[in-house]
Amino acid sequence: MDAIRTVELTKYYRTSHGTARGIEKVSLSVEQGEFCGFIGPNGAGKSTTIRTLLGLIHPTGGSAQVLGLDIETEKEKILARTGYLPSEAMFYPGMRVRDLLKLSADLRKKDCKREADALCERLQLDTARKVEELSFGNRKKVAIVCALQHEPELLILDEPTSGLDPLMQREFFEILQERNKRGTTVFLSSHILSEVQHNCTRAAIIREGRIIACDSVEALSRTSAKRVTLRGWISHGSLDGVKDLQETQDGCSFLYSGDMKALLAVLAAGEVRDLSISEPDLEEIFLNYYEEGQR
Amino acid sequence: MTLTKHELRQGRNSFAIWTAAIAVLLVICLLVFPEMKGEMESIGHLFAAMGSFAAAFGMDRLDFGSLTGFYAIECENVVGLGGAFFAALIGSSILSKEEQNGTAEFLLTHPVSRTRVVTEKLAALLLQIVVLNLIVFLTALFSICAIGEAIPWKELLLMHAACFLAQVELAAVCFGISSFLRRGGFGIGLGTTTVLYFLNLIANMSEKLNFFKYITPFGYCEGADILRNGRLNPTMLAIGLLFAGVGVAAAYLNYCRKDL
């Protein structure tokens, strides 16, 4: 059974000018026990997809099942078995962290104290503090504990690491990996490619409301290029796989999807004063996908 | 009842302030009564000179020298208007504040149906109104005893019941409106109450506009009419209950299907 299965899921929003596209004919399946990434830039439809799956918004068309349950008619059963981490966690003012965690557990009619304590300790979260005194990162930690404390079968995470420092990000992904090994399905929405590459086994890419690729992370990474930026001079004419070449006053920048050894040889032969090789941003990867699709 | 308890905890400060304010004003009004009672003659002349302004508040039809007459004007305005503002303010914000403060996502990604959310919030709203009215009613009883007057049970119960029902009606109507809002219900709550209060004043001043009394809950709260008839106007009450029913039904229908 799939943990998440959508068939041509569509959402159009009503606006003052008519309708605006949220997502269009999104067909996606995430197997149980899978660690699946969901990549796309802001406004691509990631949150719309997630909010539709969780019943916060109603689909305009298509259908979806979560844990084998229909999102329209069995919403409460889905939510009882799901943990959700929003991109921006907002809580009730005046409440202490421990009261908020208790409220979340009470709404689920579960005693989650033991798990909550363990998670708070690992994430170094002070439960005596009031939520409005917390930094963005600490509010995120509260949201993480709320999402995980009832040990759900499915975790839906919407840009989970924004606001967390690198050490906390590492701890957080360790927790997720542990949960995943115990059978929890993780559906991770992010626009940080490395996050998905390091943790997910499969990923779907969404752009302008449509799924444009869905494959194993390995396969997706192979098709993605690197952004090479350098100061100095190289003979890039002999390199295959150079795209989006931009010459600057004292160097150049280009997308490279060819053989890495060939690139290193060209760099070594040139006069390079400064060099950075980074992952391209998602727009560049999408460009890459579209170009491949057009070919 | 988790959500109801949570709602009551969230609103406890506002509830305490409103209840204390209404109760204290009521006590002050009643403590002033013995002094006013002795100056009735001059006050009577003053009201006569006020013309339609006195009529607006029903002062032309009441004996200001009796406790019930005094209570119908001074105290019922404090309880009626104060309670109505409180009911309208919490009614108009109790649903919309979740979206305004961004907490709707937190709440509705827990396994609670929207019907349950509306029901528990409505329960919290009504509970606050009930408790506020009980405290205010008990305060009135103690204050009347303290100034050495006999308690006019029937009149007092009728006037307080009218105020309570008006608050329930206003809260229910604002609750319905709240389900359509994404932010800032306070202005609508304040505005609705103020407009409805003035509609009653206008209805008191003009025979032609007397039908306004059937629209505003302050119509059946009018102390002068309650004392004269010895009962609440059943037609106005029925219309009020209908408005309240429409408000609650709108809240359920809209909140359960809206995108959050």
Side-chain angles (χ1 to χ4, degrees), chain A residues 25-63:
Chain A
K25 294 187 176 178
V26 167
S27 293
L28 185 70
S29 65
V30 178
E31 281 176 35
Q32 274 197 326
E34 203 169 32
F35 204 132
C36 183
F38 193 41
I39 318 164
N42 295 333
K46 299 190 301 290
S47 293
T48 299
T49 307
I50 287 174
R51 292 170 72 80
T52 312
L53 292 175
L54 295 167
L56 291 167
I57 53 177
H58 301 280
T60 315
S63 63

Coordinates of all heavy atoms in Angstrom, one line a residue, chain A residues 25-63:
Chain A
K25 N -3.1 18.5 -12.0 CA -3.0 17.1 -12.3 C -1.7 16.4 -11.7 O -0.9 15.8 -12.5 CB -3.0 16.9 -13.9 CG -4.4 17.3 -14.4 CD -4.5 17.0 -15.9 CE -5.9 17.3 -16.4 NZ -6.1 17.1 -17.8
V26 N -1.6 16.6 -10.4 CA -0.4 16.1 -9.8 C -0.7 14.6 -9.4 O -1.6 14.3 -8.7 CB -0.1 16.9 -8.5 CG1 0.9 16.1 -7.6 CG2 0.4 18.2 -8.8
S27 N 0.1 13.7 -10.1 CA 0.0 12.3 -9.8 C 1.3 11.9 -9.2 O 2.4 12.0 -9.8 CB -0.3 11.5 -11.1 OG -1.6 11.8 -11.6
L28 N 1.2 11.3 -8.0 CA 2.4 11.0 -7.2 C 2.1 9.8 -6.3 O 1.0 9.6 -5.9 CB 2.6 12.3 -6.3 CG 3.8 12.4 -5.5 CD1 5.0 12.6 -6.3 CD2 3.7 13.6 -4.5
S29 N 3.1 9.0 -6.2 CA 2.9 7.9 -5.2 C 4.2 7.8 -4.3 O 5.3 7.8 -4.8 CB 2.5 6.6 -5.8 OG 3.6 6.2 -6.6
V30 N 3.9 7.6 -3.0 CA 5.1 7.5 -2.1 C 4.8 6.1 -1.4 O 3.7 6.0 -0.7 CB 5.1 8.6 -1.1 CG1 6.2 8.4 0.0 CG2 5.3 10.0 -1.8
E31 N 5.7 5.2 -1.5 CA 5.5 3.9 -0.8 C 5.7 4.0 0.7 O 6.4 4.9 1.2 CB 6.5 2.9 -1.4 CG 6.2 2.4 -2.7 CD 7.3 1.5 -3.3 OE1 7.9 0.8 -2.5 OE2 7.5 1.5 -4.5
Q32 N 5.1 3.1 1.4 CA 5.2 3.1 2.8 C 6.7 2.8 3.2 O 7.3 1.9 2.6 CB 4.3 2.0 3.4 CG 2.9 2.6 3.7 CD 2.1 1.8 4.6 OE1 2.2 0.6 4.6 NE2 1.2 2.4 5.4
G33 N 7.2 3.5 4.2 CA 8.6 3.2 4.6 C 9.6 4.0 3.8 O 10.8 4.0 4.1
E34 N 9.1 4.7 2.8 CA 10.0 5.5 1.9 C 10.4 6.8 2.5 O 9.7 7.4 3.3 CB 9.3 5.7 0.6 CG 10.2 6.0 -0.6 CD 9.5 5.9 -1.9 OE1 8.3 6.3 -1.9 OE2 10.1 5.5 -2.9
F35 N 11.6 7.3 2.2 CA 12.0 8.7 2.5 C 12.0 9.5 1.2 O 13.0 9.4 0.5 CB 13.4 8.6 3.2 CG 13.7 9.8 4.1 CD1 14.3 9.5 5.3 CD2 13.5 11.1 3.7 CE1 14.6 10.6 6.2 CE2 13.8 12.1 4.6 CZ 14.3 11.9 5.8
C36 N 10.9 10.2 1.0 CA 10.7 10.8 -0.3 C 10.8 12.3 -0.2 O 10.3 13.0 0.7 CB 9.4 10.4 -0.8 SG 9.0 11.0 -2.5
G37 N 11.6 12.9 -1.2 CA 11.7 14.3 -1.2 C 10.7 15.0 -2.2 O 10.3 14.3 -3.1
F38 N 10.4 16.2 -2.0 CA 9.5 16.9 -2.8 C 10.1 18.3 -3.0 O 10.1 19.1 -2.1 CB 8.1 17.0 -2.1 CG 7.0 17.4 -3.0 CD1 6.8 17.0 -4.3 CD2 6.0 18.3 -2.5 CE1 5.8 17.3 -5.0 CE2 4.9 18.7 -3.2 CZ 4.8 18.2 -4.5
I39 N 10.6 18.5 -4.2 CA 11.4 19.7 -4.5 C 10.7 20.7 -5.4 O 10.1 20.2 -6.4 CB 12.8 19.3 -5.2 CG1 13.4 18.0 -4.5 CG2 13.8 20.4 -5.1 CD1 14.5 17.4 -5.4
G40 N 10.9 21.9 -5.1 CA 10.4 22.9 -6.0 C 10.6 24.3 -5.4 O 10.8 24.4 -4.2
P41 N 10.7 25.3 -6.3 CA 10.9 26.7 -5.8 C 9.6 27.2 -5.1 O 8.6 26.6 -5.1 CB 11.2 27.5 -7.0 CG 10.5 26.8 -8.1 CD 10.5 25.3 -7.7
N42 N 9.8 28.4 -4.5 CA 8.6 29.0 -3.8 C 7.5 29.2 -4.9 O 7.8 29.6 -6.0 CB 9.0 30.3 -3.2 CG 9.9 30.2 -2.1 OD1 10.0 29.1 -1.4 ND2 10.8 31.2 -1.8
G43 N 6.3 28.9 -4.5 CA 5.2 29.1 -5.4 C 5.0 28.0 -6.4 O 4.1 28.1 -7.3
A44 N 5.8 26.9 -6.3 CA 5.7 25.8 -7.3 C 4.4 24.9 -7.1 O 3.9 24.3 -8.0 CB 6.9 25.0 -7.3
G45 N 4.0 24.9 -5.8 CA 2.8 24.0 -5.5 C 3.1 23.0 -4.4 O 2.3 22.2 -4.2
K46 N 4.3 23.1 -3.8 CA 4.6 22.1 -2.8 C 3.6 22.2 -1.6 O 3.0 21.2 -1.2 CB 6.0 22.4 -2.2 CG 7.2 22.3 -3.2 CD 8.5 22.3 -2.5 CE 8.8 23.5 -1.6 NZ 9.0 24.7 -2.4
S47 N 3.5 23.4 -1.1 CA 2.6 23.6 0.1 C 1.2 23.3 -0.3 O 0.4 22.8 0.5 CB 2.8 25.0 0.7 OG 4.1 25.1 1.2
T48 N 0.8 23.7 -1.5 CA -0.6 23.5 -1.9 C -0.9 21.9 -1.9 O -1.9 21.5 -1.4 CB -0.9 24.0 -3.3 OG1 -0.7 25.5 -3.2 CG2 -2.3 23.8 -3.8
T49 N 0.1 21.2 -2.4 CA -0.1 19.7 -2.4 C -0.2 19.2 -1.0 O -1.1 18.4 -0.7 CB 1.2 19.1 -3.1 OG1 1.3 19.7 -4.4 CG2 1.0 17.6 -3.3
I50 N 0.7 19.7 -0.1 CA 0.7 19.2 1.2 C -0.6 19.6 2.0 O -1.2 18.8 2.6 CB 1.9 19.7 2.0 CG1 3.2 19.0 1.5 CG2 1.8 19.6 3.5 CD1 4.5 19.5 2.0
R51 N -1.0 20.8 1.8 CA -2.2 21.3 2.5 C -3.5 20.6 2.0 O -4.4 20.4 2.7 CB -2.3 22.9 2.3 CG -1.2 23.6 3.0 CD -1.2 25.1 2.6 NE -2.4 25.8 3.2 CZ -2.5 26.2 4.4 NH1 -1.5 26.0 5.3 NH2 -3.5 26.8 4.9
T52 N -3.4 20.2 0.7 CA -4.6 19.4 0.2 C -4.6 18.0 0.8 O -5.6 17.5 1.2 CB -4.5 19.3 -1.4 OG1 -4.2 20.6 -1.9 CG2 -5.8 18.8 -2.0
L53 N -3.4 17.4 0.9 CA -3.3 16.1 1.5 C -3.8 16.1 2.9 O -4.4 15.1 3.4 CB -1.9 15.6 1.4 CG -1.3 15.3 0.0 CD1 0.2 14.9 0.2 CD2 -2.1 14.1 -0.6
L54 N -3.6 17.2 3.6 CA -3.9 17.3 5.0 C -5.3 17.8 5.3 O -5.8 18.0 6.4 CB -2.9 18.2 5.8 CG -1.5 17.7 5.8 CD1 -0.5 18.7 6.3 CD2 -1.4 16.5 6.8
G55 N -6.0 18.1 4.2 CA -7.4 18.5 4.3 C -7.6 20.0 4.7 O -8.7 20.4 5.0
L56 N -6.5 20.8 4.7 CA -6.6 22.2 5.0 C -7.3 23.0 3.9 O -8.0 23.9 4.1 CB -5.3 22.8 5.3 CG -4.6 22.4 6.5 CD1 -3.1 22.8 6.5 CD2 -5.3 22.9 7.8
I57 N -7.1 22.5 2.6 CA -7.8 23.1 1.5 C -8.4 21.9 0.7 O -8.0 20.8 0.8 CB -6.9 23.9 0.6 CG1 -5.6 23.1 0.2 CG2 -6.5 25.2 1.3 CD1 -4.7 23.9 -0.7
H58 N -9.5 22.2 0.0 CA -10.2 21.2 -0.8 C -9.8 21.1 -2.2 O -9.6 22.2 -2.8 CB -11.7 21.5 -0.7 CG -12.2 21.5 0.8 ND1 -12.4 20.4 1.5 CD2 -12.4 22.5 1.6 CE1 -12.8 20.7 2.7 NE2 -12.8 22.0 2.8
P59 N -9.5 19.9 -2.7 CA -9.1 19.9 -4.1 C -10.2 20.3 -5.1 O -11.4 20.1 -4.8 CB -8.8 18.4 -4.3 CG -9.5 17.7 -3.3 CD -9.7 18.6 -2.1
T60 N -9.8 20.8 -6.2 CA -10.7 21.2 -7.3 C -11.0 20.0 -8.2 O -12.1 19.8 -8.7 CB -10.1 22.3 -8.2 OG1 -9.5 23.3 -7.3 CG2 -11.2 23.0 -9.0
G61 N -10.0 19.1 -8.3 CA -10.2 17.9 -9.1 C -9.2 16.8 -8.7 O -8.3 17.1 -7.9
G62 N -9.4 15.7 -9.3 CA -8.6 14.5 -8.9 C -8.9 13.9 -7.6 O -9.9 14.3 -6.9
S63 N -8.0 13.0 -7.2 CA -8.3 12.3 -5.9 C -6.9 12.0 -5.2 O -5.9 12.1 -5.8 CB -9.0 11.0 -6.1 OG -8.2 10.1 -6.9

